[in-house]
Amino acid sequence: MHVAHDLPGLLVVDPDGRPYAALPASDLVRMLVPGYIQEDPVLAEVIDEPHADRLCRALAGRKLLDCLPVGKPFLPTAAPDCTAMEIAELMARTRSPLIAVVERSSSGPDRLLGVITATHLLKQLIQACGSPD
Amino acid sequence: MHVAHDLPGLLVVDPDGRPYAALPASDLVRMLVPGYIQEDPVLAEVIDEPHADRLCRALAGRKLLDCLPVGKPFLPTAAPDCTAMEIAELMARTRSPLIAVVERSSSGPDRLLGVITATHLLKQLIQACGSPD
């Protein structure tokens, strides 16, 4: 689970390991909120903690796929030769906390090389600038 | 700086320590991207790495305040007695990676008690549910 690594979200891959969707942590949290509360937020106030635990347990059998948005999934990707500025521009434009780095292949499936988070990018740029953290 | 703690963003406080705005990390990254590239993303491709470093150094004199959105800042807050479900609902609705926990005061300024991130909330709920991480 992403929480063990304090990541800002999950990159979901398909059964062949190809990147499929980027799920920000706030979207993962949405999985915990029943539809009737999303429609009427005031109802959240009347659910006490034990009830919240019960709702959480009810998630146990659900798959991540059930929680992905319908239609074309949101997946900002970049090529391995992208510059830091291109990554920053993509991240700022999509407001995504993570970008999948993907190697395109003309002969086979695209290959996931890694994930860049906003925090990781800022860290790298601060180091490149030589300023103290 | 937030990057040292792998946080998904910054909570900006005013000079009296009152919470003022929540800045997701992707918005911080936007600070790095010049306006002309935000308007025409293709230009990001023609900026090479040394140039990106120079742009980064150009940020040195800028204040966080210069980077906040104009108008009413975005700041999702919750009271200390909010339930996990209320926090989850607020986080999912605002798509914010962080929520400020604020104690309202009738006699003085509101007081910031802390910040809850999406990852922290998921960790707590997983623990409450007793499932393995």
Side-chain angles (χ1 to χ4, degrees), chain A residues 8 20 25 28 30-31 36 38-39 42 53-54 56 68 75-77 80 92 97 100 105 107 112-113 117 127 132:
Chain A
Y20 178 76
L28 289 170
R30 179 175 291 119
M31 290 164 47
Y36 64 90
Q38 289 185 39
E39 281 169 29
V42 174
D53 291 352
R54 211 154 57 228
C56 184
L68 291 175
L75 178 62
T77 61
S105 166
S107 59
L112 175 65
L113 297 180
T117 68
Q127 280 175 6

Side-chain angles (χ1 to χ4, degrees), chain B residues 67-82:
Chain B
C67 311
L68 291 175
V70 178
K72 191 172 161 52
F74 171 64
L75 178 61
T77 61
D81 59 352
C82 275

Side-chain angles (χ1 to χ4, degrees), chain A residues 39-58:
Chain A
E39 281 169 29
D40 187 357
V42 174
L43 291 176
E45 292 173 25
V46 299
I47 302 215
D48 58 6
E49 288 294 337
H51 196 160
D53 291 352
R54 211 154 57 228
L55 289 167
C56 184
R57 279 197 298 275

Side-chain angles (χ1 to χ4, degrees), chain A residues 9-31:
Chain A
L10 282 183
L11 182 76
V12 184
V13 294
D14 73 10
D16 295 323
R18 283 173 300 206
Y20 178 76
L23 267 188
S26 55
D27 284 9
L28 289 170
V29 168
R30 179 175 291 119
M31 290 164 47

Side-chain angles (χ1 to χ4, degrees), chain A residues 104-117:
Chain A
R104 305 278 175 211
S105 166
S106 53
S107 59
D110 297 342
R111 198 160 66 96
L112 175 65
L113 297 180
V115 174
I116 299 176
T117 68

Side-chain angles (χ1 to χ4, degrees), chain B residues 6-62:
Chain B
D6 281 327
L7 293 178
L10 283 182
L11 183 76
V12 184
V13 294
D14 73 10
D16 296 323
R18 283 173 300 204
Y20 178 75
L23 267 189
S26 55
D27 283 9
L28 289 170
V29 169
R30 180 174 291 119
M31 290 164 47
L32 302 169
V33 183
Y36 65 90
I37 291 182
Q38 289 185 41
E39 280 169 29
D40 188 357
V42 174
L43 292 177
E45 291 173 27
V46 299
I47 302 214
D48 58 5
E49 288 294 336
H51 196 160
D53 292 352
R54 209 153 59 229
L55 290 168
C56 184
R57 279 198 298 276
L59 284 171
R62 288 174 68 190

